[in-house]
């Protein structure tokens, strides 16, 4: 997500961390998708629930960019799954009352080509942190785009999939976080 600095990171000196301001634009898209034994669901995040701008630090060394403070805080109220009942189940699943934010922290990005990278991210859901390497597509324009899909197992976060109608409808353990983040530096 916050490989945000790729558009300008190469022009700075290597070594120590450099500060910069970034903004995740409202045109960004982020969703969580999953399956039940009878259907699929998608919970879309309203990007207006993110901070307008944020100060982060980065350093660039050869083909890797390291970050400090590159955290995207997703207010769980910003997720809409399309109906009140699914929203209620989703918020119960991710324990929104106790943990009102999902955190996506980018630690480093290994640059594989001008349009591809591998981001090491820490995801925090329901107070549990897990680390993942996420392939990302990078488009460097006036506004940078970062696209990718992160598959995860909700059991890794100590979450129990909801069951409906006495267990007839069951949410499967695997979900995906799909993102197309538009970022301005």
């Amino acid at each position: 997500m916050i490989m945000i600095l790729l558009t300008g990171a190469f022009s700075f000196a290597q070594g120590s961390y450099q500060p910069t301001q970034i903004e995740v634009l409202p045109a960004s898209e982020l969703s969580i998708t999953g399956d039940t034994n009878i259907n699929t669901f998608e919970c879309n995040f309203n990007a207006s629930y993110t901070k307008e701008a944020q100060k982060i630090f980065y350093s660039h060394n050869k083909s890797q960019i390291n970050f400090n403070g590159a955290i995207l805080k997703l207010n769980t109220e910003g997720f809409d799954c399309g109906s009140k009942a699914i929203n209620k189940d989703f918020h119960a699943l991710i324990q929104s009352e106790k943990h009102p934010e999902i955190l996506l922290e980018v630690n480093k990005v290994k640059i594989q080509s001008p349009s591809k990278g591998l981001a090491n991210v820490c995801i925090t859901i329901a107070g549990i942190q897990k680390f993942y390497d996420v392939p990302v597509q990078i488009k460097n324009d006036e506004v940078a785009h970062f696209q990718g899909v992160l598959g995860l197992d909700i059991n890794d976060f100590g979450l129990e999939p909801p069951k409906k109608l006495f267990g007839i409808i069951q949410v499967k353990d695997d979900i995906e976080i799909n993102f197309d983040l538009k970022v301005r530096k």
Side-chain angles (χ1 to χ4, degrees):
M1 160 307 20
I2 303 184
M3 296 140 322
I4 297 160
L5 299 175
L6 293 176
T7 57
F10 298 111
S11 63
F12 290 96
Q14 296 179 2
S16 66
Y17 281 86
Q18 303 289 323
T20 193
Q21 290 280 118
I22 55 98
E23 179 181 9
V24 177
L25 300 175
S28 297
E29 296 175 11
L30 187 139
S31 65
I32 296 177
T33 58
D35 293 309
T36 69
N37 56 332
I38 62 169
N39 206 351
T40 61
F41 66 90
E42 179 175 32
C43 300
N44 294 301
F45 183 74
N46 182 338
S48 67
Y49 280 83
T50 60
K51 288 183 179 179
E52 288 185 19
Q54 160 181 7
K55 186 175 186 176
I56 65 172
F57 298 87
Y58 67 94
S59 69
H60 179 246
N61 184 354
K62 297 184 182 179
S63 63
Q64 181 170 297
I65 302 172
N66 296 304
F67 295 95
N68 188 352
I71 302 171
L72 179 61
K73 296 179 181 181
L74 304 174
N75 181 332
T76 57
E77 291 178 18
F79 284 97
D80 182 4
C81 304
S83 77
K84 258 187 182 177
I86 298 174
N87 284 346
K88 183 179 174 183
D89 289 343
F90 177 76
H91 287 282
L93 170 68
I94 62 172
Q95 305 172 12
S96 291
E97 282 190 27
K98 188 175 179 183
H99 304 282
E101 293 179 327
I102 294 174
L103 304 178
L104 304 172
E105 180 177 7
V106 177
N107 299 307
K108 62 185 171 186
V109 176
K110 293 180 183 177
I111 307 302
Q112 298 170 325
S113 76
S115 64
K116 291 183 182 181
L118 186 65
N120 177 263
V121 298
C122 178
I123 310 288
T124 305
I125 300 175
I128 305 291
Q129 293 183 335
K130 295 291 178 183
F131 291 86
Y132 298 91
D133 288 324
V134 184
V136 293
Q137 296 291 317
I138 304 163
K139 295 179 187 175
N140 287 320
D141 294 323
E142 187 174 315
V143 172
H145 291 223
F146 304 96
Q147 299 173 312
V149 176
L150 170 60
L152 35 104
D153 184 333
I154 60 176
N155 293 305
D156 291 344
F157 295 91
L159 304 176
E160 187 173 322
K163 297 176 183 176
K164 293 295 181 183
L165 297 173
F166 307 105
I168 295 171
I169 302 173
Q170 298 179 4
V171 173
K172 295 182 181 176
D173 296 340
D174 297 320
I175 61 170
E176 290 183 340
I177 298 176
N178 305 281
F179 58 91
D180 180 4
L181 300 175
K182 295 164 180 73
V183 180
R184 180 172 37 221
K185 185 177 133 182

